[in-house]
Amino acid sequence: MKRILMLLGLLSLPLSVQAAHGVAVGYQVGTESAVAIGVGRWDLSVGTERFVVNVDRRFHTKEFPALYFGLGGQVSEDSNAPVGLRTKVGLSARADMVELFGEVVPNVTFGDAGDVDVDYALGLRIWF
């Protein structure tokens, strides 16, 4: 548990640096239902049904601003596969303070029960 908390602290460092670019809070459903938080170009989701935290860096394209790609990590309560790497491809539509998004997230988890999966999420965030 100490390792998970320490890793969470390290993963959250970039979030505090990016806070000047706006903060969003919302909810997502899909493979994991979670609270969805956006800070600048960083996405953070915290599972509501089980302990899982995902931190991803978003990269938008200039040609198609609604399209984005991401790269990040995952920490979960699963003792057989506690950490993982994620990539994602998504679409977002933002009108003023409200953002709707959908994403497909291939990921790899490491450990005794490590696996390769493809997750998905649909969500809404309010930007402040």
Side-chain angles (χ1 to χ4, degrees):
M1 184 63 167
K2 287 181 183 180
R3 287 187 284 170
I4 290 175
L5 292 175
M6 186 173 73
L7 186 59
L8 279 175
L10 290 174
L11 290 174
S12 68
L13 285 176
L15 298 176
S16 61
V17 172
Q18 294 287 329
H21 297 287
V23 176
V25 178
Y27 194 74
Q28 70 183 37
V29 295
T31 307
E32 296 282 344
S33 295
V35 173
I37 300 168
V39 180
R41 294 182 181 132
W42 291 88
D43 293 336
L44 171 73
S45 62
V46 180
T48 56
E49 297 170 1
R50 68 181 186 101
F51 178 77
V52 60
V53 176
N54 302 309
V55 178
D56 303 307
R57 170 66 163 84
R58 255 197 219 197
F59 301 93
H60 287 270
T61 62
K62 291 182 180 180
E63 295 81 13
F64 304 102
L67 177 66
Y68 63 88
F69 301 93
L71 182 63
Q74 172 180 317
V75 177
S76 74
E77 69 183 357
D78 186 353
S79 62
N80 292 323
V83 296
L85 293 175
R86 302 162 36 97
T87 60
K88 67 181 178 180
V89 176
L91 289 172
S92 69
R94 187 169 168 182
D96 197 25
M97 293 175 48
V98 178
E99 176 191 17
L100 295 170
F101 65 92
E103 54 194 33
V104 175
V105 185
N107 61 64
V108 176
T109 53
F110 301 102
D112 295 337
D115 198 7
V116 176
D117 280 324
V118 177
D119 296 338
Y120 66 93
L122 298 170
L124 177 131
R125 283 190 276 250
I126 308 274
W127 287 86
F128 300 98

